Amino acid sequence: MLAGRRILLIIGGGIAAYKTLELIRLLRGQGACVTPVLTRAGEEFVTPLSVSAIAGVRVYRDLFDLTDEAEMGHIELSRAADLVVVAPATADLMAKMAGGHADDLASTLLMATDKRVLIAPAMNVRMWEHPATMRNLALLEGDGILRAGPDAGEMACGEYGPGRMAEPAAIRDAVAGVLGAGPLAGRRVVVTSGPTHEPIDPVRYIANRSSGAQGAAIAAALRDLGAEVRFVTGPARVPAPAGVTVTRVETAREMLAAVDAALPADAVVCAAAVGDWRAARDAPQKMKKTDGRPPALEFVENPDILATISQRGETRPPLVIGFAAETEQVEAHATAKRMRKGCDWILANDVSAKGGAMGGPQNRVTLITAEGAEHWPQMAKSEVARRLAARIAETLG
Ligand code: C5P
């Protein structure tokens, strides 16, 4: 799967560093060449000898080691790889990356590289949830840094919560996905996401509260399985994932045109909260207060992207998936919607208060297919995305 691919693995100083020995073994097991870099703190947790013994090559440790510079400069080292992986990515390493520090070999390589970077964060739950870490994470994601984990669970320090490093096999799969070696390699998937903005006049628009979180997570999960993802997004609150082709749109009509331009595809996932209506007239000038009477807004229907793509006939993509936000009779309404729209699957999300899907990190989903309904338990949106991506990979074969 990873034959001949070169991974530069930066091992940070956290208790999870011991898991990187297994990660190196798994990556090499797939044919990858792993060049390890050990930070000074990392050396407190794993020894250079054990890392180089497992990797089968020398370990790079110090920026000012002149022998290193003679053999391979840090710029070259950072670029010779196909992918840079940071595991464990400690709070300190993430802060250095977000701040653009370059005061040791690891941080200098991360500044100098022109390759994609995948981090596997690992730290105590309080450190993970600290506003500084969340701020750094947002900066890193904005910079296009890719991420595997962290998982939630029991931690070495005895606390419980998110912060455990992703399992080595999950990191290996993420690496394979990023390098186009996953089960969806060679497949193209179009994902719509976010809200739409429907103009009323040059300064006003009709919008909705969609954050775009579920759509972005689905695009990232499909990318991780190796798919070529065309991500068509309205003005969302969460950033678009790195490693996907992004088309930004405002209106439903622009979204339909962008989806059309992204076709053909093996699958289309319509996760966008498209405005059903738009103002019949998009006033060319800012509408003025009239003589005390508010202006009347007249609406016309927007194109239904999901239904349009689903009912395409010969050029219809083989797998078309939609969402249905329901507050009651989730299964019955979503099943009817699947028939009405003509799509293959519907993911019905429970947006009642107890479901907490709207704006929250969790989602409760029922997958409706021709075979019937499958109730998934409440889980993180990223987990829903991973499960859906795995199901898509299974179905496309
Ligand atoms: O009919 P409803 O808006 O509940 O359908 C939701 C599903 O249809 C979602 O998958 C959404 O992305 C899609 N949709 C669309 N174009 C519209 C309205 C909804 O693609 N104009």
Side-chain angles (χ1 to χ4, degrees):
M1 231 159 85
L2 290 169
R5 310 312 289 268
R6 289 156 305 170
I7 315 291
L8 185 70
L9 174 65
I10 294 174
I11 304 173
I15 186 69
Y18 79 91
K19 289 192 192 174
T20 55
L21 297 177
E22 174 70 357
L23 175 62
I24 295 171
R25 208 182 58 77
L26 291 175
L27 289 168
R28 291 192 72 200
Q30 303 264 320
C33 305
V34 180
T35 304
V37 174
L38 200 47
T39 64
R40 193 150 289 165
E43 284 186 29
E44 301 290 332
F45 295 90
V46 283
T47 69
L49 187 62
S50 50
V51 174
S52 68
I54 302 277
V57 293
R58 63 163 300 183
V59 184
Y60 290 86
R61 295 157 69 190
D62 198 343
L63 182 58
F64 299 104
D65 183 336
L66 289 178
T67 328
D68 286 359
E69 289 295 319
E71 278 177 20
M72 185 187 272
H74 62 273
I75 303 285
E76 201 186 329
L77 186 60
S78 73
R79 301 197 179 157
D82 296 309
L83 179 70
V84 182
V85 177
V86 186
T90 59
D92 183 61
L93 253 177
M94 285 176 61
K96 278 185 164 174
M97 290 173 75
H101 291 219
D103 59 358
D104 63 4
L105 180 60
S107 54
T108 305
L109 291 171
L110 286 160
M111 283 290 282
T113 189
D114 58 354
K115 297 300 177 343
R116 283 177 296 174
V117 177
L118 173 80
I119 61 171
M123 66 198 74
N124 165 274
V125 57
R126 299 276 166 269
M127 293 174 76
W128 174 250
E129 286 171 350
H130 195 283
T133 305
M134 288 297 113
R135 221 166 30 235
N136 290 332
L137 179 66
L139 286 174
L140 293 174
E141 292 191 335
D143 288 345
I145 300 287
L146 307 167
R147 174 161 64 95
D151 291 343
E154 192 130 356
M155 322 201 73
C157 53
E159 290 187 57
Y160 186 91
R164 274 169 65 100
M165 191 169 85
E167 289 306 319
I171 302 175
R172 183 224 23 220
D173 289 350
V175 168
V178 173
L179 293 177
L184 285 173
R187 301 288 196 173
R188 181 187 291 173
V189 184
V190 179
V191 179
T192 73
S193 185
T196 60
H197 285 182
E198 305 295 339
I200 296 171
D201 69 16
V203 298
R204 302 183 179 94
Y205 56 81
I206 302 162
N208 61 66
R209 294 186 200 280
S210 165
S211 66
Q214 186 63 82
I218 291 168
L222 290 163
R223 171 207 65 198
D224 282 351
L225 295 186
E228 178 207 338
V229 179
R230 302 276 175 103
F231 187 62
V232 180
T233 179
R237 268 184 283 138
V238 303
V244 305
T245 307
V246 184
T247 307
R248 292 180 201 283
V249 297
E250 295 253 326
T251 67
R253 285 174 295 172
E254 286 168 10
M255 189 172 275
L256 177 58
V259 169
D260 264 330
L263 293 176
D266 298 288
V268 177
V269 183
C270 290
V274 185
D276 289 325
W277 310 96
R278 66 175 185 273
R281 228 170 61 87
D282 174 7
Q285 306 300 334
K286 185 181 173 203
M287 289 163 78
K288 297 287 183 208
K289 279 185 193 146
T290 45
D291 49 354
R293 277 178 302 119
L297 268 185
E298 201 187 318
F299 290 102
V300 291
E301 203 164 338
N302 264 332
D304 188 315
I305 300 160
L306 177 63
T308 308
I309 301 298
S310 296
Q311 294 163 24
R312 267 283 157 77
E314 267 181 24
T315 56
R316 181 193 194 277
L319 186 59
V320 184
I321 303 164
F323 273 77
E326 308 286 350
T327 53
E328 37 109 37
Q329 296 185 51
V330 173
E331 193 178 321
H333 286 163
T335 304
K337 191 168 287 179
R338 192 184 84 85
M339 297 306 289
R340 200 165 59 241
K341 303 245 187 186
C343 58
D344 300 292
W345 301 350
I346 283 267
L347 278 141
N349 35 346
D350 181 352
V351 291
S352 64
K354 68 176 166 32
M358 276 311 224
Q362 301 255 318
N363 209 350
R364 182 195 302 255
V365 155
T366 301
L367 175 65
I368 313 277
T369 69
E371 278 77 51
E374 208 180 279
H375 299 278
W376 293 2
Q378 183 157 323
M379 58 182 97
K381 285 181 177 172
S382 55
E383 248 340 283
V384 171
R386 270 197 280 273
R387 228 162 132 156
L388 177 65
R391 188 61 86 84
I392 292 172
E394 206 180 290
T395 304
L396 292 180

